[in-house]
Amino acid sequence: MSDVYAQPSAAAQPASTDQLAQYTTLRLGGPAGRIATATSAEELVARVREANSEILLLAGGSNVVIGDVGFPGTVVLVRSRGLQVIAEDEQTVTVRVEAGEPWDDLVAATVRNGWSGVECLSGIPGSTGATPIQNVGAYGQEVAESITGVQVYDRVAGTLGRVDAADCGFAYRSSIFKYSERWVVLSVDFRLTRSPHSGAVRYAELARSLDIEVGDRVPLAQARDTVLRLRAGKGMVLDPTDPDTRSVGSFFTNPVLDGAGYELLRQRAADLGEPPAWPGTGDMVKVSAAWLIDKAGFGKGHPGLEGVAISSKHTLALTNPTGTATTRALITLAREIRDTVQARFAVPLHPEPVLINCAL
């Protein structure tokens, strides 16, 4: 999930002592040069226009890793809230949601109102405005399926506009907004189905937990409750009492390989059994990053330097369990995992969070 709206370049050491760690779920990140808050779309545009330095837009902070040097420019905290129905008919309802609206609050509201389309994305931390940037997805759903458009401020043209879903460039954990400094997401439009039941359940693990067949439907509240339980069991629902949730969730995306790449992986993993994989477009195959990491020798709870560790519940999450680690230590562990998986299986791993003034 993404919670940062631009990836700036590195610059000089900031002078402020306001630590950005307090605004991220990892509880990592050095000082900011300046911090401003935007509580509406209008304020967000104004803060961006008035800044005379590099800008970092930060919402829930759940999918960003900020370096120990911090960020030298202006950090704008996106705190706009609100949801309004902008169109509806007998079958559907379209809602416009402000960028700073907490994502899980929105999902809970859709379930209460009997609107189907994002229920399997329950429990994901962060803001609504960040979801199109990452094309957030989980348990068989992606926001690309329900987004109809994104209201934006174009920093290049200096104008307000709307990017229709067809022009968002949605792909696996990606969009035209990711790693782009041009667009500031102001609000997002979602078209949802009026139904007391979930969409067809596509994810095998979720179907098993619901005791149904893949393709069946269940009451919205049942789908949400089950997803929340599954995510909590993996340390993927924020909980101040659970140090495993002091993370950015999945640190690496699942690799997507062509036929030749997958066959090479199968050969290298012949002694480990069939690598978990899901078919994609053409001969492309998505493989499990968690499986690769575990089989490369990095199991649950694997310790790193200075207090960082792999989550005790899920090998894809790198954590700061004591709250006293450094970004340098986290990146060192991530680099060790990436390099070992590459050497063992010839499969590249790519980070899912946005990295600010740090790099693998």
Side-chain angles (χ1 to χ4, degrees), residues 18-307:
D18 199 343
Q19 299 294 309
L20 291 171
Q22 65 186 300
Y23 302 113
T24 71
T25 56
L26 260 173
R27 295 296 181 259
L28 294 176
R34 174 177 176 266
I35 290 182
T37 301
T39 59
S40 67
E42 293 75 18
E43 281 191 356
L44 182 51
V45 173
R47 298 292 177 267
V48 172
R49 284 175 169 167
E50 72 190 14
N52 57 5
S53 61
E54 289 185 296
I55 300 174
L56 172 64
L57 304 183
L58 192 63
S62 63
N63 200 55
V64 56
V65 181
I66 301 176
D68 298 315
V69 298
F71 182 76
T74 298
V75 175
V76 179
L77 303 178
V78 182
R79 299 294 184 259
S80 53
R81 299 288 298 267
L83 175 157
Q84 61 174 321
V85 174
I86 60 172
E88 55 184 324
D89 56 34
E90 291 184 0
Q91 287 76 40
T92 67
V93 57
T94 301
V95 295
R96 178 164 293 170
V97 188
E98 297 301 310
E101 184 73 16
W103 173 252
D104 195 54
D105 288 1
L106 168 64
V107 178
T110 66
V111 170
R112 286 195 304 270
N113 285 297
W115 301 336
S116 173
V118 294
E119 60 280 352
C120 292
L121 303 178
S122 293
I124 295 175
S127 71
T128 298
T131 61
I133 298 172
Q134 185 79 357
N135 185 18
V136 165
Y139 294 100
Q141 284 184 338
E142 288 183 336
V143 292
E145 300 167 30
S146 55
I147 289 176
T148 61
V150 181
Q151 283 64 238
V152 299
Y153 172 61
D154 184 338
R155 294 177 63 188
V156 174
T159 57
L160 301 174
R162 184 178 192 270
V163 181
D164 290 335
D167 299 318
C168 288
F170 288 130
Y172 173 59
R173 301 298 176 268
S174 184
S175 72
I176 64 168
F177 310 111
K178 192 170 184 179
Y179 303 123
S180 172
E181 297 184 25
R182 177 174 182 176
W183 310 104
V184 177
V185 174
L186 304 177
S187 61
V188 187
D189 296 345
F190 298 87
R191 181 181 292 126
L192 305 167
T193 302
R194 295 183 184 275
S195 173
H197 291 92
S198 69
V201 174
R202 305 170 188 159
Y203 201 76
E205 180 189 17
L206 179 57
R208 287 194 300 271
S209 296
L210 290 164
D211 196 23
I212 61 172
E213 297 295 324
V214 171
D216 289 349
R217 302 172 189 269
V218 297
L220 285 172
Q222 185 181 1
R224 172 171 167 78
D225 291 346
T226 303
V227 168
L228 286 172
R229 178 171 55 80
L230 287 171
R231 290 186 62 86
K234 299 173 182 177
M236 297 291 186
V237 176
L238 291 181
D239 180 351
T241 68
D242 183 356
D244 275 333
T245 69
R246 200 171 291 125
S247 75
V248 291
S250 298
F251 194 91
F252 295 103
T253 58
N254 289 320
V256 178
L257 308 177
D258 59 18
Y262 182 61
E263 184 56 35
L264 177 59
L265 168 61
R266 292 182 65 194
Q267 294 172 12
R268 293 203 171 200
D271 59 327
L272 301 172
E274 192 74 8
W278 302 268
T281 304
D283 72 339
M284 304 304 287
V285 177
K286 181 167 67 175
V287 299
S288 169
W291 186 89
L292 293 169
I293 292 167
D294 181 68
K295 298 306 182 184
F298 299 91
K300 296 174 184 177
H302 180 92
L305 301 172
E306 301 176 17

